[in-house]
Amino acid sequence: MFSSIAAAPAKQSVGDTINVLSGRLSSATLLEDRRAAILGLRSFAKDYPASVASGALRSLIGCLSADGEDVDTVRVVLETLLMLFSPNQDSPEASEEIALWLADEFTQRQENITLLLDFLETTDFYSRLYSLQLLVAILAARTERTEECISSAPLGIPRLVAVLEDRRDAIRNEALTLLTYLTPSSLLIQQSVAYQNAFERTFAIIEAEGSLSEGGRTVEDCLIFLANLLRLNPPNQSLFRESGCAVQLAKLLESTYHTGKEEEEEVAAWAQEQQNRNVYALLAVIRLFLVPAAVGTSQNQLAFWQHGVLYHALQVAFSHRAEMPIRAEALTTCADTIRGNARLQESFAQLQVPSVLETALATNGQTGESTSAPSIYVIDGLLDLVLSVPSTQAFDLRVAACQCIKAYFFNHPEVRLHFLRRAIEGHASGVDETANVLTTLLRPTTTSASNDPYRHWFAAAIVFHLVFENPEGKALAMAVTEGDAESGEEVVTSIQTITAHLVTALSRGDDARVSVGYLMLLIGWLFEDVDGVNDFLGEGSNIHALTQEIVRHPPGSALVQGLCAMILGVIYEFSTKDSPIPRSTLHSVIMSRVGREKYIDALNKLRGHTLMRDFEVTPQKADGSGSLPDVYFDATFVEFFKDNYSRIARAIDRDPGLEISVVTNGVQKGISRELVDSLRSQLEEKEQALQAALTDVASLNGKLGQEQADHRRSKEASIAELARIRNINESIQRQHEGELKKLETQQQTKSDAHQRQLEAAKKEAAASMELLRVEHNTKEAELQRQIEYVRKTAEAEAARVQRRAEAEMADLRATISRLEVDLMKANKIKTQAVEAAREELNSKLSAEELKSKSAEKRASDLEKQLSTKQEELGEIRARLKEKEEQHSTTQTELDDLLMVFGDLEDKVEKYKKRLKDLGEAISDGEEGEDDDDDDDDDTEDGEVD
């Protein structure tokens, strides 16, 4: 009964199903059938991406083009493609190569990327969103090729940037993500995006999202996008500046500390973290404009100053609401803004900020209410941060404040000296000792140094920058003394005081950072400063303490020992024979107490230490553990040490008798002692020679007096002789005037006679000229007749020769024609004979052999006749060529006659010119008559011919 029921169909595998759906998609003609096939493929895309992609990828892309007007179909296709890019992780076909394969399929054809960009023109939510997500996935897989395709697509970049104005957050944020991934490296794309009002649109998004304080991850993405457009791109930075966007930066910074709320509200931890990330990203964007020595940095600095970016960054740095990392980054931004710009450095000190020391006192911890802290000048506030905030958590903030102070007087000698003078005056007056770097260094260290060793370290670093490579600053600082001589106290210089504190710190075992700070300062101070070295050597126990630290057992800090060795090398390098401890004595002390090997070893250990060797790649920040960070050196000192390591290492090998020449403020200090002694002996010899010269001068002065008396006598005699000669000269002059008058009269008489002779000569010349003119006319007429005769003869001869040549040529042409006719007849006869012979051979081949031979003989005769005719034709052509040569010869003779005629005409012109030069006028009538005569002659010749 049941046997007739058909068996159940076999279960179809996944691969077969995908193949069937793929075939249906590629072959279906109805839209509903294609959509159903796509829906089936979408259900397999997550778990079987490789199978779906291999069978239906091109068909899916083709549907986007063919069915682009159908919103539902486009949505399903885009969803399927997105699933192929992000399959399930536990899928057996999941692989990173699938994304590369899919991206290659899209990017190998420009129209595929253009098709996705076209969907951005639609208003459908999913078409826009999924197209952007698909472009992001393709870009992540094949970055360079996708960038090229988007750049090459018609209006590709403008359409992407325009999506930023979409009011739907999901689409706008996805476009922002795509542009962020698209702009990190390509300058061309960065500039293309920037010129589509990307800056203004990005700031509009930030404002719509609630600015930095209330904005979420989207605000951070906007700032990252701005960073991509501005990083190392001067044209975009210039566009940003000229578009007035610096004002937007200032407003954003102001919003971080000036919220307009009287009471501080509680903020969730995640919201506070996002706010900090936003502010940090904004400060990073600002610092992109301030790269040292980059193109446009100075213009960016001025723009930030004018629009208040620097001011608001300072307020953020000194705001008690901001967290430490944000405040440190803000101070670093301020340092970058003024570094190297003299105008801003001079104006920076006039800004005011809230006092960091009064903030805690101004806050009521019980009620949570706070009053505004008093304002102080920014330099005082920075010094308070550096020297008076001992918290370890504030270390990064102190480092940034120290950097800001260094930037304040960086590469500005006047500001550097002003800062140093203010510190000296403050130290001398005893006012505000806590925030004075000199007072911090010159006052004895206390137990607080162990709790906050960076107070002295920062003070030493700042003073190091004040005196480094600054001879005038070194002189000012060295003039500072401790002790009152009038009260009987010992006066100690600043160098000796700092050295004493160093020795105390070494003996007491204080934190190595304190000793390192003192040593950095002293090394930079004493380098190339002979006076400073002599001041240091004024206290001999200093050398003993430094040598003891180097050979200390058990060994102490390698950093301190290396710096002690270096300062000994600097002192020896720039010491002299006249130093308190002579150079030779100092060399023997170092060699005996330390030794060359130990000296070099200490320097090598310092150079090889990770804190020195890897300084450039090690962050100089707190590690967040709560302990003191591993920050020991200043960046400028590290550079100085690496540049001069070899010199200081070799200094110990230099002979004590050879001193180093140092030029300070244009004055050379230090030289070889042997050279000085030789110069002194030469000076004594010169003095003896000078005394002998003075004796010679005295004797010469006596002789000079005698010579002067003789000169006076000779001068008086000369005056008398001059008077006598003057009288004689006057009498001679009177005689000369009389004779001159006589000569003038005689000259007048001669002039009249000469005039009469000249007139007679003119008359004779006129008569002669008339005779010459008549003779010239006669010769000219004769020449004209000769010329006419020659011309007519030449023309007649040329005509005769031409007629004869033409007749001969006609005869030759007739002969040629006749010969050609004969030749044609001969050819015709030959052709007819050959045809007849051929016919006879075809009909009677066997019987007509004799006739064939006779025909051949006749043909040969005809060929001989033909060759004879051809030879006659060649002879005729040769004769024709000779005739042509005779004609050319005749033509040459005619040309020669014409040249003779031209020469005769030139002679006539010369005669006419000569007559004109002699003053004779040649009327136009005469020339006309000559022309008429020529015409008459021509007429007569014509009649004769």
Side-chain angles (χ1 to χ4, degrees):
M1 176 179 179
F2 297 101
S3 60
S4 61
I5 299 177
K11 186 176 181 180
Q12 193 174 22
S13 65
V14 173
D16 295 337
T17 304
I18 293 174
N19 292 334
V20 170
L21 293 173
S22 300
R24 186 180 301 170
L25 174 62
S26 60
S27 60
T29 57
L30 296 178
L31 177 62
E32 290 77 5
D33 294 341
R34 290 196 296 272
R35 189 186 305 161
I38 296 170
L39 288 172
L41 290 172
R42 185 182 66 173
S43 62
F44 291 103
K46 275 284 188 181
D47 295 324
Y48 302 96
S51 300
V52 174
S54 61
L57 178 59
R58 294 186 178 179
S59 299
L60 290 171
I61 298 175
C63 284
L64 290 177
S65 177
D67 303 327
E69 300 296 331
D70 186 69
V71 176
D72 295 333
T73 303
V74 170
R75 174 183 175 182
V76 176
V77 172
L78 292 176
E79 287 178 349
T80 305
L81 292 172
L82 286 173
M83 290 179 181
L84 294 178
F85 272 100
S86 56
N88 292 330
Q89 295 298 325
D90 55 353
S91 169
E93 296 183 359
S95 173
E96 296 180 356
E97 296 180 356
I98 296 178
L100 299 177
W101 177 28
L102 296 172
D104 288 338
E105 186 64 33
F106 273 95
T107 57
Q108 284 175 359
R109 300 182 64 186
Q110 174 67 47
E111 54 268 23
N112 292 338
I113 300 297
T114 305
L115 182 62
L116 295 177
L117 293 173
D118 291 338
F119 288 125
L120 300 180
E121 299 292 336
T122 66
T123 57
D124 180 63
F125 176 82
Y126 291 104
S127 297
R128 275 195 157 195
L129 179 63
Y130 292 159
S131 298
L132 291 170
Q133 291 177 348
L134 192 56
L135 285 172
V136 171
I138 297 171
L139 179 65
R142 294 296 186 193
T143 303
E144 295 182 1
R145 180 59 187 153
T146 308
E147 290 176 354
E148 294 176 2
C149 292
I150 293 177
S151 300
S152 304
L155 298 177
I157 297 297
R159 285 191 284 186
L160 281 179
V161 180
V163 183
L164 293 177
E165 295 182 345
D166 198 308
R167 296 181 179 275
R168 292 165 289 190
D169 293 351
I171 296 175
R172 182 200 63 195
N173 295 344
E174 200 64 39
L176 181 63
T177 302
L178 175 59
L179 288 170
T180 303
Y181 292 156
L182 191 63
T183 54
S185 58
S186 175
L187 292 178
L188 178 62
I189 295 179
Q190 291 172 3
Q191 295 178 9
S192 300
V193 171
Y195 280 98
Q196 300 299 324
N197 296 328
F199 296 132
E200 292 81 353
R201 290 169 171 169
T202 305
F203 282 116
I205 295 174
I206 294 175
E207 184 177 359
E209 289 292 318
S211 190
L212 302 182
S213 301
E214 300 178 1
R217 179 59 186 269
T218 303
V219 173
E220 184 181 0
D221 291 341
C222 288
L223 294 172
I224 295 174
F225 173 53
L226 288 178
N228 288 347
L229 296 181
L230 297 170
R231 184 179 293 106
L232 302 177
N233 196 322
N236 280 4
Q237 292 181 8
S238 178
L239 177 64
F240 185 95
R241 189 173 62 246
E242 293 170 359
S243 302
C245 295
V247 179
Q248 300 292 337
L249 296 178
K251 290 180 180 179
L252 292 176
L253 277 177
E254 185 179 9
S255 67
T256 59
Y257 69 92
H258 191 271
T259 58
K261 300 177 181 179
E262 296 181 357
E263 296 183 0
E264 187 174 356
E265 298 179 356
E266 291 291 335
V267 180
W270 64 268
Q272 184 63 44
E273 181 181 358
Q274 184 61 55
Q275 179 181 348
N276 293 338
R277 290 170 63 90
N278 294 342
V279 177
Y280 198 92
L282 176 62
L283 294 172
V285 170
I286 296 174
R287 292 186 64 189
L288 293 176
F289 291 88
L290 307 172
V291 179
V295 177
T297 297
S298 59
Q299 292 88 335
N300 296 334
Q301 290 173 327
L302 289 175
F304 288 167
W305 170 266
Q306 293 170 358
H307 296 294
V309 175
L310 174 61
Y311 173 79
H312 293 303
L314 269 179
Q315 302 306 315
V316 172
F318 283 88
S319 173
H320 67 279
R321 296 179 180 178
E323 296 188 1
M324 290 296 179
I326 301 299
R327 295 173 66 184
E329 186 68 14
L331 278 180
T332 304
T333 304
C334 294
D336 292 340
T337 304
I338 65 173
R339 183 179 288 107
N341 193 312
R343 176 182 172 186
L344 300 189
Q345 288 171 323
E346 295 167 2
S347 304
F348 178 70
Q350 305 303 318
L351 298 177
Q352 292 188 345
V353 294
S355 173
V356 293
L357 299 181
E358 300 295 335
T359 301
L361 299 177
T363 302
N364 188 338
Q366 297 178 354
T367 62
E369 299 179 357
S370 62
T371 59
S372 59
S375 297
I376 59 175
Y377 286 106
V378 61
I379 300 301
D380 295 333
L382 292 173
L383 288 172
D384 288 339
L385 278 177
V386 172
L387 302 178
S388 303
V389 181
S391 173
T392 305
Q393 289 74 16
F395 176 78
D396 293 343
L397 180 62
R398 297 172 74 182
V399 171
C402 184
Q403 294 294 333
C404 201
I405 294 174
K406 296 173 187 176
Y408 167 59
F409 51 72
F410 173 77
N411 204 20
H412 197 312
E414 291 78 9
V415 173
R416 186 189 298 189
L417 292 176
H418 171 74
F419 187 95
L420 183 57
R421 289 192 183 98
R422 289 292 303 272
I424 294 172
E425 293 172 0
H427 173 70
S429 63
V431 178
D432 195 12
E433 297 181 356
T434 58
N436 191 303
V437 290
L438 281 181
T439 303
T440 302
L441 293 174
L442 298 178
R443 289 289 183 265
T445 56
T446 59
T447 55
S448 62
S450 59
N451 299 327
D452 183 24
Y454 281 109
R455 171 180 169 83
H456 293 82
W457 188 90
F458 281 122
I462 293 173
V463 177
F464 170 80
H465 281 267
L466 289 173
V467 300
F468 182 65
E469 295 182 351
N470 183 13
E472 188 174 355
K474 292 179 181 180
L476 282 175
M478 194 166 58
V480 179
T481 58
E482 293 289 317
D484 188 1
E486 297 180 356
S487 302
E489 298 179 356
E490 182 182 2
V491 177
V492 183
T493 63
S494 55
I495 290 180
Q496 293 179 358
T497 302
I498 293 173
T499 307
H501 296 334
L502 169 63
V503 172
T504 302
L506 293 175
S507 60
R508 197 165 53 189
D510 289 347
D511 192 288
R513 296 168 181 81
V514 178
S515 301
V516 168
Y518 283 133
L519 287 167
M520 282 195 308
L521 171 58
L522 289 172
I523 290 171
W525 192 335
L526 301 181
F527 190 81
E528 292 187 346
D529 186 3
V530 176
D531 296 333
V533 169
N534 292 339
D535 188 4
F536 183 93
L537 294 175
E539 180 61 43
S541 59
N542 296 335
I543 299 297
H544 176 73
L546 294 175
T547 55
Q548 286 295 112
E549 180 63 26
I550 296 175
V551 298
R552 178 181 176 183
H553 188 76
S557 171
L559 301 178
V560 175
Q561 288 184 335
L563 292 175
C564 288
M566 186 172 188
I567 195 172
L568 283 178
V570 170
I571 293 170
Y572 175 71
E573 178 79 353
F574 300 103
S575 62
T576 65
K577 183 179 179 181
D578 300 325
S579 298
I581 299 178
R583 183 175 174 83
S584 57
T585 304
L586 182 61
H587 183 268
S588 62
V589 169
I590 295 175
M591 296 300 291
S592 61
R593 296 186 179 181
V594 179
R596 183 182 182 280
E597 291 76 11
K598 185 63 177 178
Y599 173 82
I600 299 297
D601 181 65
L603 288 176
N604 287 335
K605 288 182 178 179
L606 174 61
R607 185 181 64 169
H609 200 284
T610 55
L611 296 177
M612 176 66 73
R613 184 190 63 224
D614 303 331
F615 179 86
E616 290 80 4
V617 298
T618 303
Q620 304 298 308
K621 296 181 178 181
D623 53 8
S625 62
S627 59
L628 292 175
D630 290 332
V631 177
Y632 286 84
F633 298 110
D634 180 85
T636 303
F637 176 80
V638 171
E639 182 180 357
F640 161 79
F641 173 80
K642 293 182 178 180
D643 290 342
N644 294 278
Y645 165 80
S646 299
R647 178 180 180 181
I648 301 304
R650 294 193 303 267
I652 197 67
D653 298 328
R654 191 170 288 110
D655 186 82
L658 182 62
E659 300 177 7
I660 299 300
S661 175
V662 178
V663 178
T664 304
N665 290 332
V667 179
Q668 184 174 359
K669 298 182 179 180
I671 198 169
S672 174
R673 184 55 55 183
E674 295 178 356
L675 180 60
V676 172
D677 296 338
S678 64
L679 290 175
R680 284 177 178 173
S681 61
Q682 293 177 12
L683 181 61
E684 293 175 357
E685 294 176 358
K686 297 295 182 183
E687 289 178 352
Q688 294 175 0
L690 180 61
Q691 293 297 330
L694 291 175
T695 304
D696 295 340
V697 168
S699 63
L700 290 174
N701 285 335
K703 294 179 180 180
L704 180 61
Q706 183 64 30
E707 292 291 339
Q708 288 177 348
D710 295 340
H711 175 69
R712 283 195 298 271
R713 288 193 296 271
S714 62
K715 185 177 181 181
E716 292 173 356
S718 299
I719 292 173
E721 182 66 21
L722 182 61
R724 185 180 65 81
I725 293 173
R726 188 178 292 112
N727 293 332
I728 296 172
N729 186 29
E730 290 176 356
S731 63
I732 293 173
Q733 189 173 4
R734 287 192 296 271
Q735 294 176 4
H736 176 68
E737 290 177 354
E739 293 176 356
L740 186 60
K741 290 178 181 180
K742 292 178 182 180
L743 290 173
E744 288 178 353
T745 303
Q746 293 175 0
Q747 182 65 27
Q748 184 64 31
T749 303
K750 291 180 180 179
S751 178
D752 294 338
H754 178 69
Q755 187 66 28
R756 289 192 294 273
Q757 293 175 1
L758 182 60
E759 290 176 356
K762 285 183 178 179
K763 291 178 181 180
E764 292 177 0
S768 300
M769 191 176 296
E770 182 65 22
L771 292 174
L772 288 173
R773 188 177 67 79
V774 173
E775 182 182 355
H776 169 70
N777 290 336
T778 304
K779 290 182 178 180
E780 185 178 4
E782 181 65 24
L783 289 172
Q784 288 292 341
R785 286 193 296 273
Q786 293 177 2
I787 290 170
E788 288 299 325
Y789 174 76
V790 171
R791 184 173 62 79
K792 292 177 181 179
T793 303
E795 291 178 352
E797 179 66 20
R800 183 179 63 80
V801 171
Q802 186 174 5
R803 287 194 295 272
R804 185 170 66 250
E806 290 177 352
E808 291 178 355
M809 290 176 66
D811 294 340
L812 291 173
R813 290 192 184 97
T815 303
I816 292 171
S817 300
R818 180 174 58 79
L819 292 174
E820 288 177 350
V821 170
D822 294 342
L823 181 61
M824 291 175 62
K825 289 180 178 180
N827 288 334
K828 184 176 181 181
I829 293 170
K830 180 181 177 181
T831 304
Q832 292 175 354
V834 170
E835 290 294 331
R838 186 174 297 172
E839 290 176 357
E840 291 176 358
L841 287 173
N842 290 333
S843 62
K844 299 177 180 180
L845 179 62
S846 61
E848 296 296 334
E849 291 180 357
L850 296 175
K851 293 181 180 181
S852 175
K853 292 180 180 179
S854 62
E856 289 177 357
K857 182 178 181 182
R858 186 178 180 183
S860 63
D861 293 339
L862 291 174
E863 288 178 355
K864 291 179 181 179
Q865 293 177 5
L866 178 61
S867 62
T868 303
K869 295 297 183 180
Q870 288 179 347
E871 290 176 357
E872 292 177 358
L873 179 60
E875 292 176 357
I876 292 170
R877 288 178 177 172
R879 290 173 58 192
L880 179 60
K881 185 175 181 182
E882 290 177 359
K883 295 297 181 181
E884 289 178 352
E885 291 177 354
Q886 290 176 2
H887 180 267
S888 64
T889 305
T890 304
Q891 185 67 31
T892 304
E893 292 175 355
L894 180 59
D895 293 339
D896 294 339
L897 290 174
L898 291 176
M899 291 176 63
V900 171
F901 178 69
D903 294 338
L904 292 174
E905 287 182 347
D906 293 339
K907 289 181 180 180
V908 171
E909 291 296 329
K910 291 180 180 179
Y911 285 133
K912 288 180 180 181
K913 185 176 181 183
R914 183 176 179 186
L915 287 173
K916 289 180 181 180
D917 294 340
L918 293 174
E920 291 297 326
I922 299 174
S923 64
D924 296 335
E926 293 176 358
E927 296 178 357
E929 291 175 359
D930 295 339
D931 295 338
D932 293 340
D933 294 340
D934 295 342
D935 295 339
D936 294 340
D937 295 339
D938 294 339
T939 304
E940 293 175 358
D941 294 339
E943 291 175 355
V944 172
D945 294 337

